[in-house]
Amino acid sequence: AGQQRLPVPEALGLFPRLEELDLTNTNQADGLPVSLGALTNLRTLRVAATAIRDLPDAGPATSHGASVGCGRG
């Protein structure tokens, strides 16, 4: 049996000054929290090699030119 897949915690929204989030190769991550929208300084989000397939409606976080990387490798 494989590892249990878990969403990234909602508490992520408690870090509004976060500028970069790299979840690459975090095999247990299968979803992102709605609180991602509170990360108004987020510029880079990397989710390559994870089970994450969809991004939540991030509200303000997407209006600041954030770059999302989900390529393979």
Side-chain angles (χ1 to χ4, degrees), residues 8 21-27 29 31-32 45-50 52:
V8 176
L21 180 60
D22 188 347
L23 299 172
T24 302
N25 293 319
T26 308
N27 297 327
L32 293 169
L45 172 63
R46 293 187 185 97
V47 293
T50 67
I52 296 170

Side-chain angles (χ1 to χ4, degrees), residues 5-16:
R5 298 203 187 277
L6 303 168
V8 176
E10 282 291 333
L12 183 65
L14 297 175
F15 303 97

Side-chain angles (χ1 to χ4, degrees), residues 48-69:
T50 67
I52 296 170
R53 298 293 174 250
D54 297 307
L55 297 177
D57 178 12
T62 58
S63 65
H64 296 286
S67 167
V68 178

Side-chain angles (χ1 to χ4, degrees), residues 29-53:
D30 74 349
L32 293 169
V34 173
S35 66
L36 187 72
L39 305 180
T40 55
N41 288 330
L42 187 67
R43 297 291 179 255
T44 304
L45 172 63
R46 293 187 185 97
V47 293
T50 67
I52 296 170
R53 298 293 174 250

